[in-house]
Amino acid sequence: VSSNVVISDEQAYERTIPSVTIKDLAHWGQYAGAAYDNFEEWDTCGKCQITETLRHTSLNTTWSTALPAFSRGYIGVNHRLRQVIVAFRGTTHIMDVLADAQVTQTQWPAHISGSGVHFGFLLAYLSARQTVQAAVQALMADLAGYSVTFVGHSLGGAQAVLGFVDYCQRAECGGNAGLVTFGAPRVGNQPFAQHVNSLLPSDRLWRVVHASDMVAHLPQSLLGRYVHSDREVWVNDGNITVCEPSPEDHADGGPHGLPGD
């Protein structure tokens, strides 16, 4: 698939924005997609074997929780590319999660003044937190020179953001960590978004939005103002628009004229 990378001058401010390709996005998207299949049986899982890259990935850890909230995913290791991948699965009930009373924000992380995140998203992540963080830390201690990237789609993308931030509280992120989400909703308020963006260079933080996916424009609540973190990569008809709005633009409107995109 060919693609054009378009940089919006209106959103690009005083920084050089690197290009990204469909191939780059497909690499991480395949890992996010595999979280929707029977990844516990990696060798026979269709989406886990769809490309050579995934076939050469070994499964390290899995989790599946129902209480106190839904979280499911896996941690894989690609020794050829020296990558650790932490993939969170989304849910078909994302609109229910966004619409219910859990849209309220709660203080997190505790050491960031004024930072608030979606209570339901945090509850889901915390149900898997111990398993995820223990496995990642053990792998990164054993695999010198490997990178770790948190990926996820929809609700899985929201959990990936929280998992990434949590990991960076426990370890030096440096140049060996990354975050790539697909169709993720807003996770928290502006202090939280600014904290996320401060953790790594923006070329390691990608928020992919396809066409007119409305989940990326949610939640909106009078109980707490939600804004996006990370650089947006908008994919539409084979074209990629890479946008980096100013902090003020995060809350007031994106390149597509939709609130907070």
Side-chain angles (χ1 to χ4, degrees):
V1 179
S2 62
S3 63
N4 297 316
V5 178
V6 181
I7 306 301
S8 171
D9 291 336
E10 183 179 354
Q11 278 74 38
Y13 63 104
E14 299 179 2
R15 301 219 299 195
T16 301
I17 300 180
S19 63
V20 62
T21 67
I22 289 290
K23 183 178 180 181
D24 297 328
L25 301 182
H27 174 78
W28 301 114
Q30 287 157 6
Y31 283 110
Y36 283 91
D37 211 332
N38 184 28
F39 55 77
E40 290 89 348
E41 303 296 331
W42 192 267
D43 292 341
T44 58
C45 159
K47 289 184 180 177
C48 310
Q49 303 296 316
I50 197 169
T51 65
E52 183 178 1
T53 295
L54 268 68
R55 286 194 295 272
H56 287 97
T57 298
S58 58
L59 190 65
N60 176 268
T61 301
T62 68
W63 67 89
S64 182
T65 68
L67 295 173
F70 170 85
S71 183
R72 184 169 179 236
Y74 68 89
I75 299 174
V77 181
N78 186 321
H79 291 290
R80 287 191 172 190
L81 298 178
R82 299 168 69 84
Q83 294 174 342
V84 173
I85 303 94
V86 185
F88 291 83
R89 177 183 170 172
T91 173
T92 57
H93 303 296
I94 183 65
M95 298 306 291
D96 294 335
V97 175
L98 290 167
D100 68 18
Q102 296 183 116
V103 75
T104 56
Q105 290 181 358
T106 187
Q107 170 73 31
W108 195 88
H111 70 287
I112 303 300
S113 177
S115 177
V117 300
H118 186 285
F119 178 73
F121 298 161
L122 182 62
L123 199 64
Y125 167 66
L126 291 179
S127 70
R129 180 188 197 185
Q130 184 173 354
T131 298
V132 171
Q133 295 299 333
V136 172
Q137 290 181 60
L139 281 170
M140 297 307 289
D142 290 341
L143 300 175
Y146 279 54
S147 65
V148 57
T149 302
F150 290 75
V151 304
H153 168 257
S154 191
L155 175 61
Q159 293 184 64
V161 173
L162 296 169
F164 164 76
V165 171
D166 201 11
Y167 171 75
C168 290
Q169 294 184 86
R170 301 159 182 262
E172 284 290 334
C173 287
N176 73 336
L179 171 64
V180 185
T181 65
F182 298 85
R186 301 182 182 112
V187 177
N189 61 10
Q190 190 158 4
F192 175 75
Q194 290 173 334
H195 175 60
V196 174
N197 292 338
S198 74
L199 294 173
L200 283 181
S202 54
D203 61 352
R204 295 286 291 162
L205 300 171
W206 300 104
R207 180 174 57 84
V208 184
V209 179
H210 180 260
S212 58
D213 184 357
M214 286 305 299
V215 171
H217 307 293
L218 299 171
Q220 297 186 63
S221 171
L222 296 177
L223 301 177
R225 195 170 192 184
Y226 286 89
V227 300
H228 274 301
S229 56
D230 323 326
R231 170 184 293 124
E232 178 185 334
V233 181
W234 188 54
V235 181
N236 189 38
D237 292 333
N239 293 320
I240 301 174
T241 303
V242 182
C243 305
E244 187 160 5
S246 68
E248 293 79 11
D249 289 337
H250 271 304
D252 298 329
H256 317 133
L258 295 172
D261 197 77

